[in-house]
Amino acid sequence: MKEITRRKFIATATLATGFALAVQPISAGVITTDAKGLIAGAVKIPVKDGEIPAYRAVPATGENFPIVLVLQEIFGVHEHIQDVTRRFAQLGYLAIAPELFVRQGDVSKLSSINDIRPIVAKVPDAQVLSDLDATVDWAVKSAKGNADKLAVTGFCWGGRITWLYAAHNPKVKAGVAWYGRLVGDATELQPKYPVDIASTLKVPVLGLYGGKDTGIPLDTVEQMRDRLKSSSSKSEIIVYPDAPHAFFADYRPSYREKEAKEGWQRLLAWFKQHGV
């Protein structure tokens, strides 16, 4: 009975509209990217145990688009993540952000990050990696995506997953991880952290971190840098000395315009450099 209920929930789950409750109030300078010239909105991705919702943005004309997976923060696929997909689409990419917490709960409706954390802690890495594989498959078969031009980027929670997915899927051409946690205690649901896969990583990943990030100590960033030296991936890590955590999040007080814009340009150059 539990499984039937779960499947029904997945099938009827929808994307967040607007910003997550936990991130209110929204900063006055929030960036808004329109959908003119795009096909943008919610889609459903077939996965092993049903369907998950995702937000997709792609140019309205053309085909064989390079694919960018956009991986959510802890707050889910809310308006900020949806806007980032539109930014990519305006540059000619097929960008897609799957809702990776949907089986565990709708975090967009929770008003406190302390209520969100227990839900996110229940999300197995294996489930996430499988859902991302399914998302890539859908992008290629159903949305005119080019399987040979696949990139991934993610923020905070999604930053950690960016490193892990680059290690999981050798078809990824490039990744950019924004302030994702690098070191942690292994659990049954989250058995590895980026530092554990760094030495064997083959896909080039650019890490963008803040020197004043109180949640990701600089010694863990240096540990990751050191491990990457023995890999063949030619990955790099950039630290912005004065930037806090979530410096790209233009809807939050943590936003730092200079570092965010420079990081975005570095991301685009990194993708182009590696053929995406």
Side-chain angles (χ1 to χ4, degrees), residues 178-220:
W178 300 78
Y179 35 83
R181 194 175 178 193
L182 297 167
V183 176
D185 296 325
T187 66
E188 184 178 352
L189 296 182
Q190 291 94 30
K192 291 184 178 181
Y193 278 78
V195 73
D196 301 315
I197 56 86
S199 61
T200 56
L201 188 64
K202 294 180 174 58
V203 172
V205 177
L206 175 65
L208 300 173
Y209 287 79
K212 293 185 177 177
D213 189 331
T214 57
I216 302 175
L218 281 176
D219 64 328
T220 66

Side-chain angles (χ1 to χ4, degrees), residues 102-152:
V102 68
R103 297 171 185 79
Q104 284 70 36
D106 184 356
V107 296
S108 72
K109 302 294 192 295
L110 300 175
S111 59
S112 168
I113 194 169
N114 292 327
D115 294 330
I116 293 174
R117 285 196 177 104
I119 289 176
V120 176
K122 296 176 184 176
V123 181
D125 287 347
Q127 169 190 295
V128 171
L129 300 177
S130 176
D131 284 353
L132 291 174
D133 286 343
T135 302
V136 174
D137 189 53
W138 180 89
V140 173
K141 292 180 179 177
S142 304
K144 303 179 181 178
N146 184 343
D148 295 323
K149 291 190 174 185
L150 172 63
V152 58

Side-chain angles (χ1 to χ4, degrees), residues 45-49 52-55 67-72 77 81 95-101 103 123-140 150-155 157-169 171-172:
I45 307 295
V47 293
K48 287 181 178 179
D49 53 354
I52 61 171
Y55 188 88
I67 302 166
V68 181
L69 298 174
V70 180
L71 309 188
Q72 66 208 60
V77 183
I81 298 298
I96 184 163
E99 179 51 83
L100 299 166
F101 305 159
R103 297 171 185 79
V123 181
D125 287 347
Q127 169 190 295
V128 171
L129 300 177
S130 176
D131 284 353
L132 291 174
D133 286 343
T135 302
V136 174
D137 189 53
W138 180 89
V140 173
L150 172 63
V152 58
T153 190
F155 306 88
W157 181 90
R160 171 181 172 269
I161 297 298
T162 295
W163 290 102
L164 297 182
Y165 193 66
H168 166 79
N169 185 354
K171 294 180 181 177
V172 174

